[in-house]
């Protein structure tokens, strides 16, 4: 089967660093995505990993270990506007068609 | 570049009624997706189109849901008849063609409430 797990909720302090973990089991693997979704809004793309290692993009970094079925999103220098849900999504092998399976999301609350 | 457009933004209907949602993807995007997002959950893929052909509708409740993408551009998703458990946000997304880093761009969604 296909399964994606991530913590339901996390809290952190403004200016701090937070790591959101994601573990997955899918039939095949074409890459892992992280999306940010503010309450009442559409998801927006944050990062993509297909090879093992760390991808850095400004304050956000994403790590992937394919052998462990594990990824994390690292948010540095947290700001209040980072309060949102963070969705881990995996693209399984789908016969050449890009498809995403989403986790339930991690709701992050940033406090002053 | 214009984003993914959806309408209506909100809809309230009674159970057993019908409803339709419309989506206009980003120009040139061949792949279009409809997702259902229930409160507190991640988006669940209902149907995926490549141009005007269906490539995945394995999680579409076909007894009540239908979707079409005429001419490979706009798409409509219909529910007939609606049930209480259909209350959710219906997201439309589009992307380019192929595999790999194909970011999906999401529309603002339609929030459906079934009473």
């Amino acid at each position: 089967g296909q399964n994606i797990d991530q913590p339901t909720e996390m809290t952190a302090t403004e200016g701090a660093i937070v790591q959101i973990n994601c573990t997955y089991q899918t039939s095949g693997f074409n890459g892992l995505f992280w999306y940010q979704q503010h309450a009442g809004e559409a998801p927006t793309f944050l990062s993509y990993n297909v090879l093992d290692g760390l991808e850095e993009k400004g304050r956000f970094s994403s790590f992937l270990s394919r052998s462990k079925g594990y990824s994390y999103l690292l948010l540095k220098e947290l700001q209040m506007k980072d309060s949102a849900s963070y969705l881990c999504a995996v693209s399984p092998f789908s016969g050449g068609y890009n498809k995403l399976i989403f986790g339930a999301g991690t709701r992050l609350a940033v406090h002053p | 570049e214009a984003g993914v457009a959806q309408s209506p933004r909100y809809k309230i209907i009674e159970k057993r009624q019908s409803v339709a949602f419309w989506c206009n993807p980003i120009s040139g995007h061949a792949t279009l997706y409809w997702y259902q997002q229930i409160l507190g959950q991640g988006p669940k893929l209902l149907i995926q189109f490549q141009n005007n052909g269906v490539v995945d509708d394995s999680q579409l409740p076909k007894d009540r849901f239908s979707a079409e993408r005429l001419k490979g551009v706009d798409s409509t998703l219909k529910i007939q008849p609606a049930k209480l458990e259909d209350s959710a946000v219906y997201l439309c997304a589009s992307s380019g063609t192929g595999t790999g880093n194909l970011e999906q761009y999401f529309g603002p969604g339609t929030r459906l409430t079934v009473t």
Side-chain angles (χ1 to χ4, degrees):
Chain A
Q2 324 231 54
N3 195 48
I4 299 175
D5 287 316
Q6 49 182 132
T8 304
E9 292 185 351
M10 298 183 72
T11 59
T13 305
E14 194 175 15
I17 299 172
V18 71
Q19 178 175 312
I20 303 174
N21 296 324
C22 172
T23 58
Y24 64 89
Q25 288 179 302
T26 56
S27 52
F29 182 80
N30 262 346
L32 186 142
F33 295 74
W34 284 96
Y35 280 79
Q36 180 190 60
Q37 186 175 28
H38 285 100
E41 298 182 11
T44 55
F45 171 80
L46 287 178
S47 69
Y48 170 75
N49 295 70
V50 67
L51 299 176
D52 290 351
L54 189 69
E55 295 280 343
E56 297 186 80
K57 189 188 293 186
R59 293 189 299 114
F60 293 3
S61 302
S62 57
F63 172 83
L64 175 68
S65 168
R66 288 172 297 171
S67 62
K68 295 181 180 178
Y70 168 70
S71 172
Y72 68 72
L73 180 69
L74 193 71
L75 292 74
K76 305 175 187 175
E77 301 168 16
L78 280 172
Q79 302 175 10
M80 298 297 289
K81 67 178 182 180
D82 297 329
S83 293
S85 283
Y86 291 86
L87 300 164
C88 174
V90 174
S91 180
F93 178 72
S94 57
Y97 296 107
N98 188 43
K99 170 180 175 175
L100 288 181
I101 299 173
F102 283 86
T106 298
R107 196 160 53 248
L108 174 66
V110 180
H111 299 291
Chain B
E1 163 180 274
V4 177
Q6 289 188 247
S7 67
R9 292 294 313 276
Y10 305 92
K11 190 73 177 180
I12 301 174
I13 62 172
E14 294 181 353
K15 59 184 179 185
R16 291 187 289 275
Q17 286 187 324
S18 302
V19 65
F21 313 129
W22 172 83
C23 172
N24 181 241
I26 291 173
S27 177
H29 278 186
T31 310
L32 185 147
Y33 316 78
W34 282 102
Y35 290 89
Q36 179 193 58
Q37 186 173 25
I38 293 171
L39 188 64
Q41 299 182 18
K44 181 182 85 171
L45 180 69
L46 292 175
I47 188 167
Q48 178 178 345
F49 291 94
Q50 181 88 357
N51 296 307
N52 60 349
V54 176
V55 299
D56 190 332
D57 63 357
S58 57
Q59 297 198 88
L60 187 74
K62 298 180 186 64
D63 58 332
R64 299 184 301 105
F65 285 63
S66 65
E68 60 181 9
R69 191 183 184 197
L70 300 176
K71 301 180 182 178
V73 182
D74 293 6
S75 177
T76 56
L77 176 70
K78 297 179 182 178
I79 308 175
Q80 181 179 13
K83 293 185 176 181
L84 295 177
E85 59 260 36
D86 298 332
S87 293
V89 176
Y90 290 85
L91 295 164
C92 179
S94 68
S95 72
T97 308
T99 58
N101 183 8
L102 292 175
E103 176 185 347
Q104 293 186 20
Y105 296 81
F106 286 83
T110 297
R111 184 176 298 275
L112 174 67
T113 302
V114 182
T115 62

